[in-house]
Amino acid sequence: MNYEKEKRIENINLKILVSARNELYLHLRFLDVALSTLRYQMDSEIDTIGTDGIGLYYHPAYLGGLYREGRREVNRAYLHVILHCIFGHLWKKTEHRKRRACKYLDREIVDILWDTACDIAVESVIDGLSFHCVKKSMSWDRRNLYRGLKNKRKVLHAEGIFQELIERKPDIETAKMWSKEFHIDNHDLWSKRNKNQLPNERPKENWEDIRDKMETEMETFGQDLSEGSPEFLEQIKVENKETWDYRVFLKKFAVIREESHLDADSFDYIFYSYGLSVYGNMPLIEPQETREIKKIEEFVIAIDTSMSCSGEAVKRFLQETYAILKEEESFFRKINIHIIQCDEKIQKDEKITSKEELERYMESMELVGKGGTDFRPVFSYVQKLQEKKELIRLKGLLYFTDGQGIFPDKMPPYDTAFIMIQKDYQEVEVPFWAMKIYIQEEGMEHEY
């Protein structure tokens, strides 16, 4: 292909993409920045269309063929790629999910299902739009799959869809059939996204900023912006939840205290050597026998054992917390941890004072309860423990729950975090003085 012909084809494709961008903007004004973020690049090595978060790459024959089918097809493909960026699919850490899924399915099927889950997440948003520029009739297979997923999930985000598809345990033919139904773009560029990245380009952070501003605009202007896109805002909220490392989060409950331990970091070898050289066997400095360490010493774990909380989810939470606490660097040799089981009343309180007691508790742990949920009795009970001097330096309280209960009105004199187990995204309002972390039911993934 000579240069002039190639340039003419590139100009035609550029007009097609600009036309699609402008038409989408007329109906989806809250996507103004997102629609103009990717730079267009013709690429004969890609089979369809795709992105690495920086450019929108397309095969000229594919884009031309899509345009001949109608402008609507180009609009949908363009929006499909943009939504992958907005929802952060390119930067998802998926390996731990895939490893868990490989217990039930072959790796090839798992890989197909993850890509399909991402495609379903964006296509469900597009199919939910009422604008003629993207609206088209759905196949029976697509409509049926949407119906089944929406019966299980309030918001069709990629992680939730992936979990539901895994639970169906499809064979390779079924997985490929689902993939073909929703496939639009090439996902191979996601793993090659740094190939064309300039030193000053930070696509992940850039798209996070775009998504954050979109949520603010859609909530501020309400129906003026989100009309015709009822599921869009909910997906944006899911993706905008800030993630925390649970290990780092637990350090919020640590305190600084001196512990018997040679502090090599504070030892000055210059004075030590000088003393030996002048006085023979008399160093001028010795290493300190204590040092200040920040570890967990005293806190409370409250476990909601009401009917609304799954016993397996509670055990997973305790096992992960135990895995962190049992590490020697996480807490002092002598600790004071109360593990309280409760529903609408206190059911059981287990006091843990050492690593060994914590290990024995985890081995013989039994959950009691199954009534309603009321958070207030735990706070009243902890206050009594403080009055009895059983808790002297209480740093914080972790309350594991689904969030459906009665919160106390008064702010306690210690940090409080509600660790909320949820199968699907659902915003829970907690008191202003409390922190909250969402944990997806299918795994210990933590979101602030």
Side-chain angles (χ1 to χ4, degrees), residues 302-304 309-310 313-314 317 398-402 417 419 421 439:
I303 303 168
D304 180 0
C309 280
S310 160
V314 171
F317 161 73
L398 294 180
Y399 207 128
F400 183 79
T401 177
D402 65 348
I419 315 296
I421 179 70
I439 300 179

Side-chain angles (χ1 to χ4, degrees), residues 366-431:
E366 291 184 4
L367 298 178
V368 293
K370 293 299 181 184
T373 305
D374 189 340
F375 305 126
R376 295 172 298 181
V378 168
F379 291 89
S380 299
Y381 180 74
V382 170
Q383 183 179 348
K384 291 178 181 177
L385 291 178
Q386 289 179 307
E387 292 170 354
K388 295 176 181 177
K389 305 299 182 183
E390 292 189 27
L391 290 170
I392 301 173
R393 291 180 291 273
L394 180 59
K395 180 63 177 176
L397 181 150
L398 294 180
Y399 207 128
F400 183 79
T401 177
D402 65 348
Q404 306 301 315
I406 305 172
F407 293 95
D409 296 322
K410 187 178 178 182
M411 176 179 176
Y414 46 81
D415 292 334
T416 302
F418 288 93
I419 315 296
M420 299 188 192
I421 179 70
Q422 294 189 333
K423 182 176 182 179
D424 201 2
Y425 170 78
Q426 183 180 359
E427 188 66 45
V428 176
E429 292 298 327
V430 302

